[in-house]
């Protein structure tokens, strides 16, 4: 099955577990590799969150009971994640504060992922057809390719921002990634 046939819930759930798995391996990794691993976590999490806010949260807002407040809660958690990622970006991987910030990122992320997977995703899946879920999966895949790869916590985090400005920010991030030799996929 190509990634294009994946339903959005499977796709996002796979993302969650890949990021959490990588994150949990950083403390035990060779200190020289920690920076690269953390940068990959940051890039993947940014792409994931922006794509969710563009295509998945609006559908949750429309279809879930109490959707508006659930989405608001989720967006606040994305903002918290982004702030910790910004901090993590500026701390040297050899600094003890690096692992401390990483631990905070993991705690917020685990909580956020569990809200989405236990509560919101099953409700969303129950409301949409298989075709709609696959279609949303394709949109998410495409959005992830153009999304920012670095945290921008000071920028407005609205859906509109990501639709209008997001791809531009993503392109600038990719240029910086290239110039600094930072390895991020896609
Ligand atoms: Fe998610
Ligand atoms: Fe999320």
């Amino acid at each position: 099955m190509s990634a294009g046939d994946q339903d959005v819930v499977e796709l996002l759930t796979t993302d969650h577990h890949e990021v959490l798995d990588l994150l949990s391996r950083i403390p035990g990794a060779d200190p020289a590799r920690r920076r690269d691993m953390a940068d990959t976590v940051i890039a993947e999490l940014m792409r994931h969150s922006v794509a969710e806010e563009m295509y998945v949260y609006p559908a949750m807002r429309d279809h879930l009971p109490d959707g508006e407040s659930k989405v608001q809660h989720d967006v606040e958690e994305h903002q918290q994640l982004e702030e910790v990622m910004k901090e993590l970006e500026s701390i040297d991987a050899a600094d003890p504060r690096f692992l401390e910030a990483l631990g905070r990122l993991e705690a917020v992320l685990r909580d956020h992922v569990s809200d989405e997977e236990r509560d919101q995703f099953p409700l969303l899946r129950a409301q949409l057809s298989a075709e709609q879920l696959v279609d949303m999966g394709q949109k998410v895949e495409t959005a992830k390719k153009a999304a920012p790869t670095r945290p921008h916590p000071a920028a407005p985090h609205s859906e509109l921002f990501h639709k209008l400005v997001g791809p531009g920010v993503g392109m600038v991030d990719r240029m910086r990634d290239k110039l600094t030799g930072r390895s991020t996929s896609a």
Side-chain angles (χ1 to χ4, degrees):
M1 185 170 79
S2 79
D5 298 331
Q6 246 189 339
D7 110 22
V8 70
V9 171
E10 282 168 32
L11 192 156
L12 295 173
T13 303
T14 303
D15 280 358
H16 289 164
H17 295 283
E18 283 176 0
V19 168
L20 280 169
D21 176 61
L22 182 56
L23 193 48
S24 69
R25 285 189 285 118
I26 299 176
D30 183 336
R33 295 247 315 118
R34 288 179 189 166
R35 174 84 268 157
D36 254 7
M37 291 167 86
D39 286 344
T40 303
V41 164
I42 290 170
E44 291 305 319
L45 209 47
M46 281 308 301
R47 288 180 218 280
H48 175 94
S49 306
V50 168
E52 272 182 346
E53 288 186 33
M54 281 174 74
Y55 293 108
V56 186
Y57 289 3
M60 281 172 19
R61 191 182 281 125
D62 291 346
H63 295 288
L64 268 48
D66 212 11
E68 182 65 48
S69 75
K70 284 182 178 170
V71 166
Q72 200 183 330
H73 172 82
D74 281 343
V75 169
E76 277 164 20
E77 284 182 337
H78 282 182
Q79 180 69 26
Q80 277 178 40
L81 290 168
E82 203 165 339
E83 278 161 17
V84 185
M85 288 191 280
K86 187 78 199 170
E87 210 182 314
L88 204 53
E89 216 179 35
S90 67
I91 306 172
D92 190 280
D95 189 319
R97 290 178 307 141
F98 182 84
L99 290 182
E100 185 273 324
L102 205 68
R104 274 186 286 129
L105 184 70
E106 187 173 352
V108 180
L109 184 60
R110 282 197 187 278
D111 179 67
H112 181 70
V113 159
S114 134
D115 283 349
E116 287 182 344
E117 290 184 11
R118 289 183 192 183
D119 177 44
Q120 294 131 35
F121 289 177
L123 289 169
L124 188 68
R125 194 176 234 165
Q127 294 290 326
L128 300 181
S129 67
E131 201 187 344
Q132 285 172 311
L133 291 164
V134 169
D135 181 62
M136 197 180 287
Q138 286 167 348
K139 290 191 169 111
V140 162
E141 263 312 316
T142 306
K144 281 176 69 186
K145 293 199 173 95
T149 59
R150 293 170 181 251
H152 303 273
H157 226 225
S158 67
E159 181 201 338
L160 192 67
F161 167 81
H162 288 308
K163 273 190 180 149
L164 296 178
V165 187
V169 175
M171 230 145 66
V172 172
D173 285 348
R174 272 174 192 68
M175 273 169 68
R176 284 178 63 200
D177 291 344
K178 216 171 171 181
L179 289 170
T180 57
R182 194 167 104 149
S183 61
T184 57
S185 60

